[in-house]
């Protein structure tokens, strides 16, 4: 009840929501020891007006070799398991979860792959997107990573989010922080707009399910990466991703629609089978 009483005014009024985002970002910056790469400084790596945002959804198993080759001509931003995909990554967003099963898996399974790809320059820049997680040991093993901190826009209301985005842009918050709402896809999309991308192609962002592309896929069996859902304590929906569940927060598809309207950035989905295809055009090679 106390949490609800605290969050109600924050989530219901845009000025208070934005003020909380400033507080939250500043607190995380202090937790990170004031060691921060401003988000906008990563613009130096930008080579295209299009950014491909890579998730880990099962729809990636339907991508053809020709399409992978075409996507490789754009800048790319990968999340988590995108390190497994056959495409160069301009940005690899690392989100740590200190002292958890997730971090143990990242250290054992993903870190060697990340280091190998950094060494071969098929990952140009690793970005530790939540450097406020100071107990994590994962990022310290990766040379020359950039450090960002997150800040949350806490609301379930599209009208409040709309105004909060306007205030955040006027204050230049996306230039410094990863502005989270619903999940990392929103944060990366907001950041992409702030550094000048005109178009985003979402690949493997499957909001209508939680299945990962590498689970039960013979091509990845030798890596023995466990299914991330095996230790999930909450009930996992087969038709709705957690970030798109209105029972948890503002659905990702709603948050992205608001962001698109407020920024004017073009959004496209790679697959016609994802929930994003309900309101976004599908990529055509």
């Amino acid at each position: 009840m106390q949490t609800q009483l605290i969050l109600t005014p924050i989530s219901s009024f845009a000025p208070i929501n934005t003020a909380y985002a400033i507080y939250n970002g500043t607190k995380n910056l202090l937790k990170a020891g004031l060691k921060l790469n401003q988000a906008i400084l990563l613009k130096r790596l930008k080579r295209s007006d299009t950014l491909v945002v890579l998730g880990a959804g099962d729809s990636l198993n339907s991508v053809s070799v020709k399409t992978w080759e075409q996507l490789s001509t754009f800048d790319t931003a990968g999340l988590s398991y995108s390190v497994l995909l056959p495409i160069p990554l301009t940005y690899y967003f690392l989100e740590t979860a200190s002292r958890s099963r997730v971090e143990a898996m990242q250290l054992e399974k993903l870190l060697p792959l990340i280091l190998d790809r950094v060494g071969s320059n098929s990952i140009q820049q690793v970005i530790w997107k939540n450097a406020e997680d100071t107990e994590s040991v994962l990022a310290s093993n990766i040379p020359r990573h950039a450090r960002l901190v997150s800040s949350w826009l806490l609301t379930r209301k599209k009208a409040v989010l709309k105004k909060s985005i306007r205030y955040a842009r006027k204050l230049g918050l996306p230039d410094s922080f990863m502005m989270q709402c619903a999940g990392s896809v929103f944060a990366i999309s907001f950041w992409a707009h702030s550094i000048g991308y005109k178009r985003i192609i979402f690949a493997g962002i499957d909001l209508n399910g939680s299945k990962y592309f590498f689970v039960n896929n013979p091509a990845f069996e030798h890596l023995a990466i466990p299914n991330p859902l095996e230790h999930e304590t909450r009930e996992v929906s087969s038709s709705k991703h957690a970030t798109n569940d209105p029972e948890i927060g503002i659905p990702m598809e709603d948050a992205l629609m608001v962001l698109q309207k407020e920024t004017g950035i073009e959004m496209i989905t790679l697959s016609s089978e994802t929930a994003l295809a309900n309101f976004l055009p599908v990529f055509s090679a």
Side-chain angles (χ1 to χ4, degrees):
M1 180 62 71
Q2 287 182 337
T3 301
Q4 186 177 2
L5 289 173
I6 293 171
L7 291 183
T8 296
I10 293 174
S11 61
S12 299
F13 302 100
I16 300 177
N17 196 342
T18 309
Y20 174 80
I22 295 171
Y23 157 77
N24 184 239
T26 303
K27 181 185 72 172
N28 287 338
L29 177 58
L30 292 172
K31 286 177 66 177
L34 300 177
K35 297 177 181 178
L36 175 72
N37 299 94
Q38 275 197 306
I40 198 169
L41 296 181
L42 295 168
K43 187 175 182 177
R44 61 183 174 78
L45 295 173
K46 182 176 177 289
R47 297 290 182 270
S48 169
D49 284 335
T50 297
L51 182 69
V52 181
V53 176
L54 294 153
D58 185 54
S59 66
L60 291 173
N61 287 319
S62 300
V63 179
S64 68
V65 172
K66 181 180 178 180
T67 300
W68 280 124
E69 290 174 349
Q70 186 164 8
L71 295 178
S72 296
T73 65
F74 306 123
D75 290 351
T76 52
L79 287 161
S80 61
Y81 300 99
S82 64
V83 70
L84 304 174
L85 296 172
I87 186 171
L89 297 175
T90 312
Y91 317 96
Y92 177 73
F93 283 88
L94 181 70
E95 185 165 19
T96 57
S98 58
R99 300 184 180 184
S100 70
R101 290 190 182 96
V102 172
E103 180 165 73
M105 182 281 300
Q106 288 175 323
L107 283 165
E108 180 186 358
K109 302 293 185 179
L110 297 189
L111 180 59
L113 300 174
I114 295 169
L115 292 176
D116 182 64
R117 294 196 60 174
V118 169
S120 65
N121 205 37
S122 63
I123 291 179
Q124 291 187 47
Q125 181 66 67
V126 175
I127 301 169
W128 186 12
K129 70 176 287 290
N130 61 323
E132 66 271 14
D133 182 17
T134 54
E135 294 185 356
S136 172
V137 298
L138 179 60
S140 62
N141 288 281
I142 302 173
R144 300 183 303 280
H145 65 267
R147 297 164 57 94
L148 301 180
V149 296
S150 59
S151 179
W152 278 88
L153 295 170
L154 294 176
T155 184
R156 292 172 179 252
K157 301 179 179 180
K158 289 191 286 186
V160 174
L161 178 59
K162 176 180 178 179
K163 292 181 179 178
S164 297
I165 289 172
R166 291 180 182 179
Y167 293 147
R169 292 178 66 192
K170 287 180 180 179
L171 294 169
L173 297 185
D175 293 347
S176 296
F177 304 116
M178 294 298 292
M179 304 300 297
Q180 298 267 139
C181 182
S184 295
V185 173
F186 177 93
I188 292 175
S189 300
F190 203 170
W191 166 80
H193 172 265
S194 74
I195 67 170
Y197 284 103
K198 305 299 183 185
R199 182 172 74 151
I200 295 174
I201 300 172
F202 295 111
I205 309 299
D206 298 352
L207 301 182
N208 50 329
S210 300
K211 187 178 179 182
Y212 290 82
F213 70 87
F214 55 87
V215 174
N216 297 324
N217 186 329
F220 301 101
E221 283 182 353
H222 66 287
L223 297 173
I225 296 176
N227 186 343
L229 301 179
E230 286 180 355
H231 300 290
E232 189 63 64
T233 55
R234 61 178 174 80
E235 183 178 351
V236 178
S237 171
S238 60
S239 61
K240 190 179 300 178
H241 193 273
T243 61
N244 209 41
D245 189 344
E247 297 299 319
I248 297 176
I250 185 170
M252 177 63 74
E253 59 184 46
D254 288 350
L256 289 176
M257 286 178 67
V258 173
L259 182 66
Q260 182 184 40
K261 289 179 180 178
E262 283 303 302
T263 62
I265 193 167
E266 182 183 1
M267 294 181 179
I268 299 171
T269 180
L270 189 63
S271 172
S272 61
E273 302 301 318
T274 70
L276 290 176
N278 293 330
F279 70 96
L280 293 182
V282 177
F283 177 78
S284 177

